[in-house]
Amino acid sequence: MTDGKEMFPLVNEEGVVVGCATRAYCHSGAKPLHPVVHLHIFNSNGELYLQKRAMHKDIQPGKWDTAVGGHVDYGEDVVSALFREAREELGVVDFKPSLCFRYVFESAIEKELVNSFMTCYDGSPTPDLDEVTEGRFWGIDDIRGNIGKGVFTPNFEAEFERLQPFINDLPKMK
């Protein structure tokens, strides 16, 4: 934070920091590229943990979404942000993340460099109920059967498609 304003790093498409800006500016429609982290949490049964967004959220209220997602703060590296967000959102602290892929996501108001990770975790996540209404592990076939039905956020559905090669390798990760 600078002067009470939340600051985000601005990055190029390779993730190199090229500046900084306030959260408000990054979400103003100006669309400077800023980094975020996502964590896909699988258990040893191959199920994927999802969170249900709170109804008071501005974007996609009441829809199921990626287990963990959040912004990288200015001066913070991507992995540190990932651990901070996992702790804040789900109380998950002991995990080994693997970077799956990185991509640019653009909405009507912002442009993000998404750093998408996965991990295997057999603990019991404890969702922050101020942010989400619930969380649970889903079977992969249950997720596939609900794609396109308005159950999940469009962002999650798009990222789930990108995860397919990693999901297919899950038996090798056990």
Side-chain angles (χ1 to χ4, degrees), residues 129-143:
L129 296 179
D130 289 334
E131 297 293 321
V132 302
T133 57
E134 64 181 296
R136 68 176 176 91
F137 283 98
W138 289 65
I140 298 304
D141 289 339
D142 290 335
I143 293 171

Side-chain angles (χ1 to χ4, degrees), residues 9 23 25 27 38 42-43 48 59 75 82 84 93-94 98 106 123 146 151 168:
R23 177 188 190 101
Y25 178 72
H27 293 174
H38 286 179
F42 292 88
N43 63 19
L48 180 60
I59 300 170
L82 183 72
R84 175 181 51 77
V93 295
D94 188 23
S98 297
E106 187 171 348
N146 283 288
V151 173
N168 295 336

Side-chain angles (χ1 to χ4, degrees), residues 19 34 55 112 116-117 122 132 140 146 159 167:
H34 58 283
M55 291 305 291
E112 300 174 329
S116 184
F117 293 82
D122 282 319
V132 302
I140 298 304
N146 283 288
E159 197 158 317
I167 291 169

Side-chain angles (χ1 to χ4, degrees), residues 37-80:
V37 293
H38 286 179
L39 179 62
H40 299 280
I41 300 175
F42 292 88
N43 63 19
S44 59
N45 294 323
E47 298 168 315
L48 180 60
Y49 189 90
L50 300 177
Q51 60 162 278
K52 190 171 187 181
R53 295 177 61 79
M55 291 305 291
H56 66 77
K57 290 289 196 177
D58 292 340
I59 300 170
Q60 302 294 327
K63 293 195 177 177
W64 289 91
D65 202 359
T66 307
V68 173
H71 289 91
V72 176
D73 292 333
Y74 185 67
E76 182 179 46
D77 65 79
V78 169
V79 173
S80 295

Side-chain angles (χ1 to χ4, degrees), residues 1 8 10 42-43 52 67 73 77 85-86 103 150 153 162 171 174:
M1 294 234 195
F8 293 159
L10 303 181
F42 292 88
N43 63 19
K52 190 171 187 181
D73 292 333
D77 65 79
E85 289 289 346
Y103 66 95
T153 65
R162 290 176 183 257
K174 290 183 182 178

Side-chain angles (χ1 to χ4, degrees), residues 2-3 9 13 24 30 40 52 70 73 86 95-96 101 113 126 128 130 133-135 138 145 151 156 166-167:
T2 302
D3 297 331
E13 290 194 12
H40 299 280
K52 190 171 187 181
D73 292 333
F95 64 97
K96 292 181 181 152
F101 44 82
L113 181 62
T126 307
D128 177 353
D130 289 334
T133 57
E134 64 181 296
W138 289 65
V151 173
F156 170 74
F166 301 94
I167 291 169

